[in-house]
C-alpha cells in the first residue's frame, strides 16, 4: 500500500556501529574539567567566520540558481519523459495473526526514474513485500521485469535493475542536484492515480527540515512543497532546472498542498552506502534522548556558563554505542565541531536552523 499520509508514529531508535564524531560534553556540576569525547577534538576552532562565509555563499548561490527556475521547466519535462518509469508491483504482506501464511496478493503502482549506472530509483514502500516487479517506460506498451537490488525502509528508498537491453534503448538518466532554497520552483513528475499517462505538477519549496518518514517511522531531512503529490507519485522525481531536487514520497493528510520529497543528501547517503558495501548500510543515530536547556534555572542548576549552549542527555538506549560513553545529565555542547543551541538546533544554510540530529544521521556507519 502506498504510504501517502503522515501519522503520529513513535520514532524508532537506530543502533548502528559507527565511529564517534567530535562530540564535546560538559558533565553536570563539573564544568571546570569538561569531559571531551573523543580526546582529539579541537575546541579552539572558530566557527563565526566560517558561518558568515557560508551565509554569503548560500545567498549568492540562491541568486544564481533562481535565474534558471523559470525557463527550464519545459526542458526538465522533456528530460523526464525519457527517464521516469511506471512501476507495477505485486506484493504479499506477512500475516501476523497466521504467521505460517501470507496475505493475499495485491497489485500497487508507483513511479521511479533512471539514475547513472542503469539503475532505477524509487520508494521502498512501492516495492515493499514484493513478489515480482514490472516497469514500463513512457510511450511504450511493454512491461519489463525488474529486480530489487537494495531497499532502505528507514529512508524509504529502493534501487531496481532491469536486465533487458531493449528497455534501456532511448533511456536517459537524471543527475542529482542540490537542496533547493525556499520559494524555488520544482516540477514533480510521475504516474499518480486518476490516469495512466505521465503527470507533471509544479510547485515551490515551502520548508526544509527533518520530518518523520511514515514508512520507516524515522526522522530524516525532508523538503515540503506545495505541488500535488498523490498515490502513484511515490518514487517520482522532483526536478529543479535540469537536475533532481528530491524524490516524492508522502503528503500530509487533511491539509491542502502539503507534500514532501526526499532531499538529495539523503539519496546520496543511501546510494553511497550501497556502492561501497553492496548492501544498504542505514543511517546513524546516537541512541539517546535529549532535553532542551532553554530554561534559565536548568542551566544554572548544571553550572552552565553564559557562553555555553547545548542539550541535556535525559535517556540513553542500553544497546547503543553511546551507552557507557555518555551518562544521564551530561550536556552536549557541540557535535563534530558545530555548536548546538539550547533548543537543540544548529546553523543551516542562509539564516536557517535544523535539529542537530541531521548531522548525526549524515555520518557514515562503520
Amino acid at each position: 500500500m502506498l504510504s501517502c499520509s503522515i501519522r503520529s508514529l513513535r520514532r524508532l531508535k537506530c543502533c548502528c556501529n559507527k565511529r564517534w564524531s567530535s562530540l564535546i560534553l560538559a558533565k553536570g556540576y563539573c564544568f571546570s574539567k569538561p569531559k571531551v569525547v573523543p580526546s582529539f577534538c579541537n575546541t579552539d576552532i572558530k566557527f563565526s567566520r566560517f558561518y558568515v562565509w557560508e551565509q554569503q555563499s548560500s545567498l549568492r548561490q540562491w541568486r544564481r540558481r533562481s535565474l534558471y527556475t523559470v525557463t527550464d521547466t519545459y526542458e526538465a519535462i522533456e528530460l523526464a519523459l525519457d527517464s521516469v518509469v511506471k512501476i507495477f508491483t505485486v506484493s504479499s504482506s506477512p500475516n501476523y495473526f497466521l504467521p505460517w501464511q501470507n496475505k493475499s496478493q495485491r497489485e500497487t503502482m508507483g513511479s521511479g526514474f533512471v539514475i547513472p549506472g542503469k539503475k532505477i530509483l524509487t520508494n521502498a514502500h512501492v516495492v515493499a513485500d514484493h513478489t515480482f516487479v514490472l516497469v514500463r517506460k513512457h510511450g511504450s506498451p511493454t512491461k519489463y521485469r525488474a529486480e530489487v537490488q537494495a531497499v532502505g525502509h528507514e529512508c524509504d528508498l529502493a534501487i531496481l535493475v532491469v536486465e533487458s537491453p531493449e528497455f534501456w534503448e532511448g533511456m536517459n538518466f537524471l543527475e542529482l542536484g542540490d537542496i533547493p532554497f525556499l520559494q524555488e520552483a520544482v516540477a514533480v513528475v510521475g504516474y499518480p492515480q486518476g490516469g495512466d499517462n505521465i503527470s507533471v505538477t509544479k510547485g515551490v519549496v515551502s520548508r526544509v527540515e527533518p520530518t518523520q518518514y511514515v514508512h520507516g517511522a524515522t526522522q530524516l531531512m525532508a523538503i515540503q512543497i506545495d505541488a500535488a503529490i498523490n498515490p502513484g507519485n511515490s518514487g517520482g522525481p522532483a526536478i529543479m532546472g535540469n537536475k533532481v531536487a528530491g524524490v516524492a514520497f508522502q503528503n500530509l493528510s487533511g491539509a491542502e498542498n502539503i507534500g514532501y520529497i526526499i532531499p538529495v543528501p539523503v539519496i546520496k547517503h543511501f546510494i553511497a552506502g550501497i556502492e561501497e558495501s553492496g548492501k544498504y548500510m542505514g543511517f546513524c543515530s546516537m541512541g539517546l534522548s535529549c532535553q532542551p536547556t532553554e530554561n534559565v534555572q536548568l542551566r544554572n542548576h548544571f553550572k552552565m556558563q553564559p557562553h555555553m549552549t547545548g542539550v541535556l542527555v535525559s535517556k540513553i538506549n542500553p544497546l547503543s554505542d553511546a551507552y557507557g560513553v555518555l551518562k544521564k545529565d551530561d550536556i552536549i555542547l557541540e557535535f563534530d565541531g558545530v555548536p548546538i543551541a539550547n533548543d537543540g538546533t544548529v546553523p543551516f544554510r542562509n539564516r536557517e536552523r535544523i535539529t542537530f540530529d541531521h548531522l548525526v544521521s549524515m555520518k557514515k556507519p562503520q
Side-chain angles (χ1 to χ4, degrees):
M1 181 177 181
L2 299 182
S3 299
C4 293
S5 62
I6 294 183
R7 301 186 298 272
S8 177
L9 295 177
R10 191 177 179 182
R11 182 180 178 185
L12 300 180
K13 297 297 182 182
C14 175
C15 304
C16 56
N17 293 327
K18 54 189 177 297
R19 296 179 183 174
W20 284 94
S21 301
S22 304
L23 186 66
I24 299 182
L25 303 173
K27 184 68 178 177
Y29 299 105
C30 299
F31 283 94
S32 59
K33 295 181 179 181
K35 181 179 178 182
V36 179
V37 180
S39 59
F40 57 79
C41 178
N42 184 3
T43 59
D44 297 330
I45 300 177
K46 302 298 183 180
F47 300 97
S48 59
R49 181 179 303 174
F50 169 77
Y51 179 53
V52 173
W53 176 86
E54 184 182 17
Q55 284 184 335
Q56 295 175 351
S57 177
S58 298
L59 183 58
R60 289 194 298 266
Q61 187 179 9
W62 177 84
R63 289 173 178 172
R64 184 166 56 252
R65 283 162 51 181
S66 63
L67 298 176
Y68 300 95
T69 57
V70 179
T71 61
D72 287 1
T73 303
Y74 295 104
E75 296 181 7
I77 295 174
E78 290 296 327
L79 183 64
L81 293 180
D82 295 329
S83 305
V84 181
V85 298
K86 188 171 186 178
I87 300 175
F88 303 84
T89 303
V90 176
S91 59
S92 179
S93 303
N95 190 337
Y96 299 105
F97 293 100
L98 301 174
W100 54 87
Q101 67 182 23
N102 286 349
K103 296 180 180 179
S104 58
Q105 290 186 344
R106 55 192 176 89
E107 182 177 351
T108 57
M109 291 174 290
S111 306
F113 62 96
V114 178
I115 59 176
K118 289 188 176 182
K119 299 177 182 178
I120 299 175
L121 184 66
T122 185
N123 285 141
H125 70 260
V126 174
V127 296
D129 302 321
H130 67 280
T131 301
F132 66 93
V133 181
L134 300 174
V135 297
R136 189 189 71 192
K137 56 185 180 179
H138 176 66
S140 173
T142 307
K143 299 177 182 178
Y144 300 88
R145 180 69 181 269
E147 298 292 337
V148 180
Q149 183 185 42
V151 178
H153 294 287
E154 189 177 15
C155 59
D156 200 4
L157 290 172
I159 291 181
L160 311 180
V161 292
V162 179
E163 298 295 337
S164 174
E166 181 184 354
F167 171 80
W168 297 106
E169 295 179 0
M171 296 295 289
N172 298 322
F173 64 85
L174 294 177
E175 296 182 359
L176 300 178
D178 299 319
I179 301 178
F181 289 90
L182 301 182
Q183 288 299 308
E184 282 198 288
V186 294
V188 178
V189 185
Y191 293 86
Q193 64 182 8
D196 188 56
N197 288 329
I198 197 168
S199 170
V200 180
T201 56
K202 187 179 178 182
V204 297
V205 175
S206 305
R207 185 180 298 164
V208 180
E209 66 179 4
T211 304
Q212 193 167 22
Y213 284 37
V214 173
H215 180 70
T218 54
Q219 192 164 6
L220 297 172
M221 177 178 284
I223 300 174
Q224 177 184 325
I225 60 176
D226 64 356
I229 296 180
N230 297 305
N233 269 125
S234 296
I239 301 177
M240 181 183 64
N242 59 352
K243 295 184 179 181
V244 175
V247 178
F249 74 113
Q250 65 187 26
N251 64 12
L252 184 59
S253 178
E256 294 183 2
N257 300 331
I258 297 182
Y260 294 91
I261 60 176
I262 303 173
V264 171
V266 177
I267 300 173
K268 289 184 176 180
H269 188 282
F270 168 74
I271 296 176
I274 297 174
E275 291 178 348
E276 292 178 4
S277 62
K279 60 181 181 179
Y280 173 65
M281 294 296 295
F283 289 76
C284 291
S285 172
M286 295 179 65
L288 50 83
S289 300
C290 295
Q291 174 184 344
T293 58
E294 297 175 289
N295 188 285
V296 178
Q297 285 73 23
L298 181 64
R299 294 199 300 271
N300 293 336
H301 175 75
F302 287 100
K303 305 294 189 294
M304 293 182 66
Q305 300 298 326
H307 65 278
M308 291 182 176
T309 60
V311 291
L312 176 68
V313 178
S314 58
K315 184 179 179 181
I316 304 177
N317 191 331
L319 299 179
S320 70
D321 290 344
Y323 191 79
V325 179
L326 307 182
K327 294 183 180 180
K328 185 180 179 182
D329 293 337
D330 281 349
I331 296 179
I332 304 177
L333 303 179
E334 300 179 1
F335 181 84
D336 204 17
V338 181
I340 302 176
N342 292 326
D343 60 351
T345 62
V346 293
F348 176 68
R349 298 196 311 184
N350 182 34
R351 299 170 60 186
E352 297 179 65
R353 302 191 68 88
I354 58 174
T355 59
F356 81 99
D357 292 335
H358 171 66
L359 301 180
V360 180
S361 63
M362 289 294 102
K363 288 297 176 182
K364 183 186 299 184
Q366 300 292 338

